[in-house]
Amino acid sequence: MARSRREGEFPALEPVSVIDDSRWTPRTRDRIEDSLASTILGTAGQVRPRLEELIDRTGANEIMASTSTYDRAELFDADAAFAQLAGVVA
């Protein structure tokens, strides 16, 4: 994501095993660290308390969630799990 902001391109993702963060510019590193610091992810048991803390801290009455994966079945499952966690009834 940081590269797309800088270069305007969305190339295929590199495998984690080959990413060399030493080649990142300070600006890219800052964007990645800022993004990771505000990301909530994990199992329902891990997400629930962080989501509750976010809502308490901000007073939000609406949450927008974003997921991304090439596997559409996994994307559907992730969205369904979040909806259940958030108490959304379809």
Side-chain angles (χ1 to χ4, degrees):
M1 181 161 44
R3 185 184 309 157
S4 66
R5 289 181 186 163
R6 185 181 74 236
E7 299 172 6
E9 296 179 11
F10 295 87
L13 298 176
E14 298 173 296
V16 172
S17 61
V18 301
I19 295 175
D20 177 11
D21 65 354
S22 66
R23 69 179 182 200
W24 294 342
T25 66
R27 183 174 182 184
T28 297
R29 184 181 317 280
D30 289 347
R31 284 183 173 169
I32 291 169
E33 289 175 1
D34 287 348
S35 179
L36 291 174
S38 63
T39 298
I40 298 175
L41 55 91
T43 66
Q46 295 166 322
V47 169
R48 183 180 309 278
R50 292 205 53 210
L51 187 59
E52 289 170 350
E53 186 277 328
L54 174 67
I55 292 168
D56 290 345
R57 181 170 39 86
T58 63
N61 61 7
E62 179 177 90
I63 296 292
M64 294 187 340
S66 175
T67 57
S68 180
T69 179
Y70 66 92
D71 185 319
R72 293 301 175 205
E74 286 188 23
L75 181 61
F76 178 83
D77 291 346
D79 287 344
F82 184 79
Q84 182 176 14
L85 178 72
V88 175
V89 178

